[in-house]
Amino acid sequence: MNNFATCPLCQSASRIAFHKEGHPIRDCLRCQHRFCIISSLQEHVETVYDDSYFLGGGAGYANYLSEEKLLTERGSWYADLVRRYTKPGIMLDVGSAAGFLLKGFHQKGWTGSGLEPNPKMARLAFEKQGLSVNVGTLEDFAFTEQVDLVSMIQVLGHFVNPLKALHTAAEITKPGGLWLFESWNRDSLTARVFGEHWHEYSPPSVIQWFSPHELTRLAERFGFRQIGRGRTLKWINLGHAKSLLTYKLKDSAAGRLAGKALEFLNENWSVPYPSEDLFWAVYRKE
Ligand SMILES: [Zn+2]
């Protein structure tokens, strides 16, 4: 194992911090970026984001398609947030899956398309929502149109080559245009308390771990300045919460009783809860 694998952000040497699921998690010795090296982009995308990522549980979604309402509302919530900084225009939503977040933006006056590595999800976005979603990754996609907003909601951690991806994002953003990121915060209290057991250490799906300050410095390298940042609410679908809790509570009598109580919850409700380890940030191209 190469102990000097270079940092994807600054190409300096790294050290192994710990192992997770058999993958070495590394810290850059210079910029402190935390990352996991995956051998090939194509292999990463094909194996990590196949249909089972969206429909098979595990590190992905038990059933992504059941999250439609919740994700559409989240898209609308972000569209309202972005309205503080710019009026609606043309956007690109990266990692848009079946287009639910994008739909939320469209409902608030935005136009534009999505980009998604999974062909089935991209096709569903068109068939069910009438949205244009290209199949591909930001690292490898050639765009012709410039946009007013690039949104990356929980996407940054998945990039094999974050510099290449952000280079493309910078190229396609109009002068004065915005980036909207939502990302997990590796410097959060939650991440520090859980250490290597933090839920976001889940290679090979998530392979880059940022802090808000690190992202701001990174955006600055591409000529973008931070103009807003905050904590975000995480919406959870009660059906999903129920299946997780029932699983976790099953080993005790009190837990089983609590599990019984949960059966009366409406599975289609979604609830927001403040998430200490998740943040949003908006950057403007200078
Ligand atoms: Zn580095």
Side-chain angles (χ1 to χ4, degrees):
M1 185 68 69
N2 177 9
N3 215 20
F4 299 99
T6 56
C7 169
L9 301 188
C10 77
Q11 282 72 51
S12 298
S14 64
R15 66 171 187 89
I16 295 174
F18 55 90
H19 283 79
K20 194 70 186 277
E21 314 287 347
H23 297 273
I25 309 296
R26 297 167 175 279
D27 284 339
C28 173
L29 294 176
R30 182 157 160 254
C31 76
Q32 277 84 51
H33 179 59
R34 181 162 277 183
F35 61 97
C36 174
I37 289 177
I38 299 290
S39 54
S40 124
L41 171 61
Q42 197 53 38
E43 200 182 319
H44 174 69
V45 167
E46 281 173 8
T47 56
V48 175
Y49 308 111
D50 66 0
D51 294 348
S52 65
Y53 177 79
F54 292 100
L55 306 168
Y61 295 90
N63 183 0
Y64 176 82
L65 298 177
S66 70
E67 313 263 308
E68 173 169 356
K69 183 167 174 287
L70 187 149
L71 287 168
T72 304
E73 285 168 2
R74 194 166 182 73
S76 293
W77 186 82
Y78 269 122
D80 285 341
L81 187 144
V82 168
R83 193 74 183 83
R84 295 181 202 170
Y85 309 104
T86 193
K87 63 182 192 311
I90 304 168
M91 70 181 291
L92 173 72
D93 183 44
V94 180
S96 55
F100 300 149
L101 275 161
L102 186 60
K103 182 180 161 190
F105 274 90
H106 276 225
Q107 286 174 352
K108 296 281 182 173
W110 285 85
T111 59
S113 59
L115 181 65
E116 165 57 38
N118 182 292
K120 185 175 175 180
M121 288 294 139
R123 202 177 61 241
L124 280 172
F126 182 72
E127 289 173 359
K128 304 265 188 211
Q129 320 288 355
L131 294 169
S132 160
V133 172
N134 287 300
V135 178
T137 66
L138 197 53
E139 285 112 315
D140 278 342
F141 204 75
F143 290 90
T144 50
E145 187 184 35
Q146 282 209 310
V147 298
D148 302 288
L149 170 71
V150 178
S151 57
M152 300 189 207
I153 308 300
Q154 292 186 31
V155 166
L156 290 158
H158 298 294
F159 287 132
V160 172
N161 188 336
L163 290 186
K164 201 172 170 196
L166 292 182
H167 177 78
T168 307
E171 295 258 288
I172 63 169
T173 308
K174 292 177 188 172
L178 304 184
W179 282 353
L180 167 68
F181 293 165
E182 180 189 280
S183 186
W184 298 92
N185 178 2
R186 61 163 279 208
D187 279 354
S188 64
L189 182 64
T190 310
R192 282 181 281 135
V193 165
F194 283 92
E196 57 191 77
H197 302 292
W198 185 39
H199 59 85
E200 277 309 288
Y201 292 129
S202 58
S205 168
V206 178
I207 50 178
Q208 315 284 343
W209 297 275
F210 298 95
S211 69
H213 292 294
E214 192 186 356
L215 266 188
T216 298
R217 285 203 311 271
L218 189 57
E220 284 169 356
R221 285 170 66 178
F222 292 93
F224 283 71
R225 190 171 52 85
Q226 181 182 290
I227 53 171
R229 187 171 87 204
R231 292 256 183 90
T232 177
L233 295 172
K234 184 164 173 57
W235 277 259
I236 53 166
N237 182 299
L238 283 183
H240 179 63
K242 197 161 101 177
S243 78
L244 273 178
L245 281 170
T246 307
Y247 178 76
K248 289 190 175 173
L249 296 171
K250 70 181 181 344
D251 291 333
S252 75
R256 281 193 296 275
L257 197 62
K260 280 265 174 254
L262 289 172
E263 283 177 20
F264 294 100
L265 292 176
N266 184 328
E267 303 214 347
N268 293 318
W269 288 346
S270 55
V271 288
Y273 73 95
S275 183
E276 192 271 336
D277 52 358
L278 192 61
F279 69 98
W280 60 265
V282 176
Y283 306 89
R284 191 189 301 278
K285 187 173 183 175
E286 302 278 69

